[in-house]
Amino acid sequence: MSVFDDARLDDRAALAGADEVLRRLASAGARLRREAGEALRATTTLADTPRPRAVVAAGAEARFIRAIVEPVCPVPFVAWPTHGLPGWVGALDLVVVLASDAAHAGLISTVHEAVRRGAQVVIACPGHSPIAEHAAGSSTTLLPTSTGDTLAAAIVALTAMHVMQLGPSVDSELVAEAMDKVAEDCSPSVETIENPAKEVALGLADTQPLVWGGSVLAARASRRVAEAFRAASGRAALAADVEELLPVLDAAAPRDPFADPFEDLGSADRRPCLVVLDDGNGDELVRSGQTRLLAAAERNDIRVCVIAHQSGSAVERYAALLQTGMYASVYLAVGLGRYHDL
């Protein structure tokens, strides 16, 4: 286990160890612009496509696609997490596949099955790849990808579904700008006192992360961010609903005012830190849940870190929350001296 050293967050030598992953985060907006530009011609061909009986989404970010599309989709929408397809899928249905990175055998099998059944297929994947070969057919539209960025590919697929009148309008340029703004605010050159991601990393220094997002999209982002915190710290990190987190907060041991801040604690002695992802959702249940969590944290003297992005479209806010959380995970690893594990 490692002891967190906050001096590393503004130390150029320490930050240099995470340069590669920080550069990839900083280029997220550029990757989205590239993917959107390369897929533009293929996307426009979908304008006159007949409305399908139902839509099935498979592959990376399928649940993200569902969260955006399902509330307004005029036909039934299913996110299918396992390989294969539901038994009812046939020639009247649309299968949307996201495979911007290396596709596993199960997803290739899903695509092959969709083509065999005669379903319409819209697939975001590299043009020259095994899954593209299995997807080839008269009812297939390929949205070419080249950066391996699953979120960028998902946004391209959302654009295609809007063209098909199955989902809301998504402005990829505005999403890219939101990503650029996070990259600017969370840049390694911005000192901790002004850097929201470094502040979150500092708050997580000696704690066990508990991550909460109230809306459907914020909850989706919370799971991704918790995964990143686990990888960065080697500690358990929980993303859960209000009712699951409240008992954990109330069970926290009282803070020891005489504890050595430089002591390397074991997991049993480490206190939780509540990380709230706030996308500005005004739903009464979401606001009530956040109020209950913050009250429990205050009652039990538990540290709270808030990542808030409340302007722009739902996709812009989701992307900004996710990117800020990812930056925070990198700085957490840097502070712990674990950047070589990224």
Side-chain angles (χ1 to χ4, degrees):
M1 300 299 289
S2 304
V3 176
F4 190 93
D5 182 357
D6 58 351
R8 295 187 183 121
L9 299 183
D10 294 320
D11 181 86
R12 291 186 179 182
L15 290 167
D19 185 67
E20 182 177 350
V21 65
L22 286 169
R23 285 181 180 275
R24 181 161 180 81
L25 284 173
S27 63
R31 289 197 300 274
L32 174 54
R33 292 185 181 93
R34 177 177 175 179
E35 299 288 36
E38 292 180 351
L40 182 60
R41 179 179 296 180
T43 300
T44 55
T45 65
L46 296 168
D48 299 322
T49 303
R51 178 176 292 179
R53 177 181 59 179
V55 180
V56 177
E61 299 290 359
R63 289 188 173 92
F64 167 67
I65 293 284
R66 182 183 65 184
I68 297 295
V69 173
E70 190 175 39
V72 299
C73 188
V75 300
F77 190 102
V78 177
W80 196 250
T82 59
H83 72 276
L85 290 169
W88 48 263
V89 172
L92 299 178
D93 303 304
L94 167 66
V95 178
V96 179
V97 182
L98 302 174
S100 62
D101 50 2
H104 55 77
L107 190 58
I108 292 176
S109 174
T110 297
V111 169
H112 179 78
E113 184 68 12
V115 173
R116 187 186 68 81
R117 296 190 196 181
Q120 183 181 1
V121 177
V122 173
I123 179 169
C125 70
H128 301 286
S129 61
I131 196 167
E133 295 175 5
H134 283 273
S138 59
S139 297
T140 296
T141 300
L142 174 67
L143 306 176
T145 65
S146 57
T147 69
D149 189 319
T150 56
L151 180 56
I155 293 170
V156 167
L158 285 172
T159 302
M161 297 192 71
H162 173 67
V163 170
M164 299 172 73
Q165 301 182 36
L166 296 172
S169 175
V170 176
D171 190 325
S172 60
E173 177 56 31
L174 290 179
V175 179
E177 289 178 4
M179 291 176 167
D180 290 344
K181 183 63 168 60
V182 172
E184 180 182 343
D185 292 343
C186 300
S187 167
S189 63
V190 177
E191 295 186 356
T192 300
I193 193 171
E194 298 177 342
N195 190 315
K198 289 183 180 180
E199 286 186 353
V200 172
L202 188 60
L204 293 173
D206 57 351
T207 66
Q208 207 82 31
L210 303 176
V211 191
W212 178 81
S215 70
V216 173
L217 283 175
R220 173 72 182 161
S222 73
R223 291 188 288 273
R224 297 281 304 278
V225 170
E227 291 171 3
F229 287 163
R230 284 194 290 270
S233 66
R235 305 170 187 166
L238 174 65
D241 297 331
V242 171
E243 300 303 330
E244 296 170 315
L245 291 177
L246 284 173
V248 181
L249 295 173
D250 286 330
R255 185 184 299 275
D256 181 1
F258 303 106
D260 182 356
F262 300 104
E263 182 182 0
D264 188 10
L265 300 175
S267 58
D269 301 315
R270 192 172 287 117
R271 287 174 56 76
C273 174
L274 177 63
V275 180
V276 174
L277 303 188
D278 186 353
D279 64 354
N281 188 294
D283 182 84
E284 184 177 347
L285 288 176
V286 173
R287 295 292 109 187
S288 173
Q290 181 168 326
T291 299
R292 293 171 65 196
L293 284 173
L294 294 178
E298 182 177 5
R299 184 170 62 247
N300 295 287
D301 193 22
I302 290 171
R303 190 179 302 161
V304 177
C305 297
V306 178
I307 299 175
H309 291 279
Q310 303 179 349
S311 62
S313 68
V315 179
E316 290 169 55
R317 299 195 304 271
Y318 171 83
L321 286 176
L322 183 59
Q323 289 295 105
T324 304
M326 292 301 170
Y327 267 102
S329 72
V330 175
Y331 294 133
L332 178 59
V334 169
L336 292 169
R338 290 174 51 91
Y339 46 82
H340 297 298
D341 297 331
L342 293 173

